[in-house]
């Protein structure tokens, strides 16, 4: 399946997360639907921060980046491609990649590094307001097959659909390099906005399709899990439907696997939950673990990141995940 390759390469927005704890009323005042992602300009984020008495936590982020950092922390061979500003946030982003054993393949810009204001409400839901900044300047002409040499899976975040030229350059270069393509649908807003591009993109290029309930409903037109899985199975050779605390479904080779979620403790923050689920799942996949084990690794990573604020799993969490992986090695 992977031609002896194990490297996971991500491409997407190089962003810095500004994590803010607030209430539902604050989200409503910002004019957004809770749980979604809205593209905004830099003044919007500045105004939002000025209207709260809380101080945000600052960490590197971006959907594909979160997944790749997870793969690196698990001990996998990982790289991330993106564009950032020559500024303090850009240095924070680069340093975080290196600390996570991820190879930085980063282009620089005079524009500011992109930021995401992630508002976390008491129910652990996160609502994102994204200023893409320098990340939008990644030149499609710079995305060549050489960037994906020796790569098993290219992780493409759904947010790249906002830049169709970059998306198409990425999937064509990845295919030319002999890599498989994993696409996460990212958010229901992405699906609704980019529906015209999605159909052909998935059928022609995507090998691994990952969606949560809201994204799947926006794309498939219904929420029934059986119908959704049947639909996804028609689109990609391997498809994943994440259903929160009820776990996930994985379809592969005409078989559907039901994966239990870890629910030992209630979530503190769901930021990065889907991204880290993908990290565990793809790490297992490129290393040859059975589908059920890959799903369990994904669930463990998703669970651990929900125990903390932000998308960074602490050392104790990684230790528990690696202990689980070791148990599969003994089977």
């Amino acid at each position: 399946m992977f031609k002896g390759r194990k490297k996971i390469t991500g491409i997407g927005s190089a962003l810095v997360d500004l994590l803010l704890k607030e209430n539902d009323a604050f989200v409503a005042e910002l004019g957004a639907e809770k749980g979604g992602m809205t593209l905004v300009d830099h003044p919007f984020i500045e105004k939002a921060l000025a209207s709260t008495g809380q101080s945000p936590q600052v960490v590197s982020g971006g959907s594909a980046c979160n997944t790749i950092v997870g793969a690196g922390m698990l001990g996998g061979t990982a790289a991330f491609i993106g564009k950032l500003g020559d500024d303090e946030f850009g240095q924070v982003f680069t340093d975080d990649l290196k600390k996570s054993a991820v190879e930085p393949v980063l282009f620089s810009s005079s524009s500011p590094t992109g930021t995401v204001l992630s508002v976390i409400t008491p129910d652990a839901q996160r609502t994102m307001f994204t200023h893409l900044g320098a990340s939008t300047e990644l030149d499609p002409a710079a995305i060549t097959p050489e960037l994906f040499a020796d790569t098993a899976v290219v992780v493409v975040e759904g947010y790249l659909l906002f830049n169709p030229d970059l998306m198409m350059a990425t999937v064509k270069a990845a295919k030319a390099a002999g890599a498989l393509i994993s696409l996460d649908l990212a958010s229901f807003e992405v699906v609704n906005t980019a529906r015209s591009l999605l159909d052909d993109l998935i059928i022609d290029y995507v090998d691994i399709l990952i969606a949560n309930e809201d994204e799947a409903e926006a794309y498939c037109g219904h929420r029934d899990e059986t119908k959704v899985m049947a639909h996804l199975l028609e689109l990609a050779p391997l498809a994943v439907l994440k259903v929160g605390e009820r776990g996930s479904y994985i379809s592969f080779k005409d078989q559907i696997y039901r994966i239990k979620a870890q629910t030992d403790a209630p979530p503190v923050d769901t930021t990065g939950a889907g991204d880290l689920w993908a990290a565990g799942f793809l790490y297992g996949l490129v290393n040859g673990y059975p589908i059920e084990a890959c799903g369990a690794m994904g669930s463990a990573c998703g669970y651990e990141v929900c125990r903390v604020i932000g998308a960074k799993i602490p050392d104790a969490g990684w230790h528990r995940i690696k202990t689980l992986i070791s148990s599969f090695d003994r089977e």
Side-chain angles (χ1 to χ4, degrees), residues 158-169 171 183 190-206 219:
Y159 297 115
L160 247 60
L161 288 161
F162 289 129
N163 187 338
D165 291 341
L166 180 58
M167 173 63 86
M168 295 311 299
V171 296
L183 174 67
V190 169
V191 175
N192 291 334
T193 301
R195 183 57 189 263
S196 60
L197 176 61
L198 264 177
D199 291 338
D200 290 340
L201 176 76
I202 292 172
I203 292 172
D204 293 341
Y205 294 100
V206 174
Y219 187 66

Side-chain angles (χ1 to χ4, degrees), residues 65-285:
C65 176
N66 290 337
T67 296
I68 296 305
V69 164
M73 292 299 294
L74 285 169
T77 303
F80 178 77
I81 301 165
K83 190 162 189 173
L84 39 68
D86 185 15
D87 52 23
E88 183 178 354
F89 281 159
Q91 193 60 53
V92 167
F93 188 94
T94 303
D95 290 346
D96 274 359
L97 288 188
K98 293 178 179 179
K99 291 175 184 175
S100 304
V102 174
E103 175 191 355
V105 185
L106 300 171
F107 299 85
S108 183
S109 169
S110 58
S111 300
T113 298
T115 52
V116 179
L117 175 60
S118 185
V119 182
I120 304 152
T121 42
D123 58 359
Q125 276 276 27
R126 50 86 176 107
T127 305
M128 297 178 292
F129 302 89
T130 303
H131 171 237
L132 293 170
S135 69
T136 63
E137 299 173 10
L138 187 56
D139 184 1
I143 309 305
T144 63
E146 287 73 25
L147 292 176
F148 305 113
D150 301 322
T151 293
V153 177
V154 176
V155 176
V156 183
E157 62 184 48
Y159 297 115
L160 247 60
L161 288 161
F162 289 129
N163 187 338
D165 291 341
L166 180 58
M167 173 63 86
M168 295 311 299
T170 296
V171 296
K172 288 178 180 179
K175 284 297 184 184
L180 299 186
I181 294 171
S182 174
L183 174 67
D184 190 310
L185 291 183
S187 80
F188 57 85
E189 290 98 340
V190 169
V191 175
N192 291 334
T193 301
R195 183 57 189 263
S196 60
L197 176 61
L198 264 177
D199 291 338
D200 290 340
L201 176 76
I202 292 172
I203 292 172
D204 293 341
Y205 294 100
V206 174
D207 302 286
I208 304 167
L209 180 62
I210 301 175
N212 66 21
E213 291 176 283
D214 293 337
E215 296 152 9
E217 182 179 19
Y219 187 66
C220 300
H222 42 72
R223 204 173 183 88
D224 180 86
E225 294 164 4
T226 302
K227 292 181 180 179
V228 168
M229 289 309 298
H231 192 159
L232 296 181
L233 190 57
E234 294 175 357
L235 299 172
L238 196 162
V240 174
L241 174 65
K242 298 169 293 181
V243 290
E245 63 182 14
R246 301 195 309 283
S248 57
Y249 295 90
I250 302 169
S251 69
F252 182 58
K253 292 184 176 179
D254 296 324
Q255 185 171 349
I256 295 178
Y257 301 83
R258 177 70 186 268
I259 308 298
K260 292 183 179 179
Q262 285 191 229
T263 55
D264 300 342
V268 174
D269 171 26
T270 58
T271 301
D275 304 333
L276 271 297
W277 192 100
F281 178 71
L282 294 175
Y283 171 84
L285 209 59

